[in-house]
Amino acid sequence: DSGVTQTPKHLITATGQRVTLRCSPRSGDLSVYWYQQSLDQGLQFLIQYYNGEERAKGNILERFSAQQFPDLHSELNLSSLELGDSALYFCASSAGLVYNEQFFGPGTRLTVL
Amino acid sequence: GENVEQHPSTLSVQEGDSAVIKCTYSDSASNYFPWYKQELGKRPQLIIDIRSNVGEKKDQRIAVTLNKTAKHFSLHITETQPEDSAVYFCAAKGAGGGADGLTFGKGTHLIIQP
């Protein structure tokens, strides 16, 4: 157990819908990262927040957005869902910004029908 | 942006033998290189990492080497055991002012034959 929690574990929805994925980082970690894992694209970095502020963006679609709240938990919002958005979404946390190890949560499996 | 290439995609070794997985990266400014192990349907687990100011790091049966000049790094697993079977990912972290996600390789499926 990494100490990072994610809910829900599974999510099944229809095209065009909107969903919210939730992540709670390890106690004391200020940085939260979101990753998408699919068979064709592999593990891809989406976005990073540090202490409530957005710090880096990766391959995140405009239909996706995220935020980190004062209690440091983070939410990833996916809207206008398409079949191709079906994937495992992982959240990871680290203590700081630079070299700190990233610890992954158990992931949310999103299925878009 | 950073690009990480990982080889081989599948590696089958006899139990007790050694396994080596190699990765190359493109951004010479990258300064942190972790390795993750992922079992089917589970989260990636950090197994070892190395920073750019170090050439080699070892933790029991696992070692990582880094060649900054050639921009490649490798994972070495000795005395392989059945529980080592998994997908292994290398990754590189850029030096984007300290704020940057990991760029992952495509993964190596390691199979330990009994």
Side-chain angles (χ1 to χ4, degrees):
Chain A
D1 185 2
S2 65
V4 180
T5 61
Q6 288 187 248
T7 56
K9 285 187 179 180
H10 302 278
L11 200 49
I12 301 175
T13 188
T15 55
Q17 295 298 304
R18 172 189 168 95
V19 297
T20 297
L21 313 183
R22 183 187 168 107
C23 166
S24 291
R26 294 186 317 161
S27 177
D29 283 359
L30 298 178
S31 204
V32 169
Y33 304 78
W34 286 97
Y35 292 87
Q36 179 193 60
Q37 185 174 35
S38 61
L39 280 175
D40 53 343
Q41 297 292 328
L43 257 171
Q44 286 200 101
F45 166 63
L46 297 179
I47 196 163
Q48 176 200 9
Y49 277 81
Y50 176 77
N51 204 21
E53 293 189 4
E54 181 185 306
R55 289 303 302 259
K57 269 188 173 179
N59 299 320
I60 190 166
L61 300 172
E62 285 191 11
R63 301 183 285 110
F64 296 0
S65 64
Q67 57 185 132
Q68 187 179 27
F69 294 86
D71 67 352
L72 301 177
H73 91 271
S74 178
E75 292 181 355
L76 179 67
N77 300 296
L78 314 176
S79 61
S80 302
L81 286 168
E82 303 174 359
L83 296 177
D85 297 327
S86 295
L88 256 175
Y89 290 85
F90 287 105
C91 161
S93 74
S94 69
L97 279 176
V98 187
Y99 294 119
N100 298 110
E101 299 90 337
Q102 294 183 26
F103 295 94
F104 281 70
T108 292
R109 181 171 293 282
L110 173 67
T111 302
V112 182
L113 300 175
Chain B
E2 175 67 275
N3 182 51
V4 176
E5 299 282 341
Q6 182 172 348
H7 300 279
S9 57
T10 303
L11 178 60
S12 181
V13 301
Q14 290 293 125
E15 183 179 348
D17 288 350
S18 296
V20 180
I21 302 170
K22 298 182 179 182
C23 289
T24 60
Y25 61 98
S26 61
D27 187 353
S28 56
S30 288
N31 54 18
Y32 174 63
F33 307 91
W35 286 86
Y36 286 84
K37 175 184 179 182
Q38 187 178 30
E39 296 175 0
L40 190 62
K42 299 201 173 175
R43 64 185 174 90
Q45 285 185 278
L46 179 67
I47 56 171
I48 197 167
D49 57 10
I50 193 166
R51 292 169 189 165
S52 56
N53 57 348
V54 175
E56 184 173 358
K57 183 176 178 181
K58 190 173 180 181
D59 182 4
Q60 299 182 332
R61 297 186 297 110
I62 294 173
V64 58
T65 58
L66 172 65
N67 183 327
K68 285 212 69 178
T69 303
K71 290 190 282 187
H72 68 70
F73 55 115
S74 301
L75 177 71
H76 304 253
I77 306 175
T78 58
E79 301 172 11
T80 53
Q81 301 168 3
E83 54 265 36
D84 294 330
S85 293
V87 179
Y88 291 79
F89 292 93
C90 62
K93 186 176 190 293
D100 209 353
L102 296 172
T103 301
F104 284 88
K106 293 293 187 186
T108 295
H109 186 191
L110 177 61
I111 301 165
I112 308 300
Q113 303 278 5

